[in-house]
Amino acid sequence: MTLTRPDSRVADVLDIQRATHVYARGLDRFDPQEAASAFTDDAVWDATAVGLERFEGIAAIRGFFERDAAAIADQFHVITNHVVDLGEDGTTATGTNYVFSEGHTKSGAAFKAIALNEDTYRRTPEGWRIATRRISALTPPELEGFDA
């Protein structure tokens, strides 16, 4: 039996999906470095549509993830329904995915968000990374007491 290499476009899509899952796993493990590793150095993370902020550059994004890790008692993120469109040049892509997140702050406030991530991706020497992520609510977010 001869093993063949998987189609490179399939491998690209899987690597892009992996980046989104590493982001979620890093948040849920309270590991800001892991969550930030899913992004390019010049990335933009914009959650203003769900009542949070917009951050530009990996240092600002990681800083938010650090504040989040310090403020949250428990949380989870489920990322699903990926749609990825690879660019013609082989170095860029766009995509969407849904996120469901729920948890509690250390002060006892509960939060829940069901949202759409609209992403751009870029191939880097380390693999595909998120270049921009815009998060918009699919249902009204419940963020009372969330101030990470």
Side-chain angles (χ1 to χ4, degrees):
M1 178 166 119
T2 304
L3 296 177
T4 59
R5 243 178 53 174
D7 177 76
S8 64
R9 293 179 67 81
V10 171
D12 288 343
V13 169
L14 290 173
D15 196 35
I16 288 167
Q17 290 177 352
R18 185 180 194 288
T20 67
H21 295 146
V22 165
Y23 155 78
R25 183 178 70 185
L27 293 177
D28 294 344
R29 287 182 171 177
F30 302 98
D31 184 344
Q33 184 63 37
E34 181 180 35
S37 75
F39 292 86
T40 61
D41 288 341
D42 61 347
V44 174
W45 186 92
D46 184 353
T48 53
V50 294
L52 297 174
E53 294 180 54
R54 180 179 194 274
F55 299 99
E56 293 185 35
I58 197 66
I61 293 167
R62 187 174 38 250
F64 171 71
F65 295 162
E66 288 168 353
R67 290 187 301 280
D68 178 78
I72 302 302
D74 58 68
Q75 68 181 351
F76 73 90
H77 291 76
V78 175
I79 308 272
T80 188
N81 294 31
H82 283 86
V83 175
V84 175
D85 296 305
L86 296 170
E88 294 293 320
D89 62 3
T91 63
T92 61
T94 59
T96 59
N97 54 79
Y98 296 154
V99 58
F100 175 51
S101 177
E102 190 170 334
H104 301 88
T105 65
K106 289 181 179 174
S107 64
F111 60 89
K112 179 168 68 172
I114 301 168
L116 173 69
N117 291 327
E118 294 178 88
D119 297 337
T120 64
Y121 309 100
R122 190 165 57 238
R123 185 191 302 271
T124 73
E126 296 79 31
W128 285 92
R129 298 293 184 263
I130 302 165
T132 63
R133 169 157 285 177
R134 188 170 64 89
I135 305 168
S136 58
L138 293 172
T139 63
E142 299 170 22
L143 298 172
E144 290 231 6
F146 184 88
D147 60 345

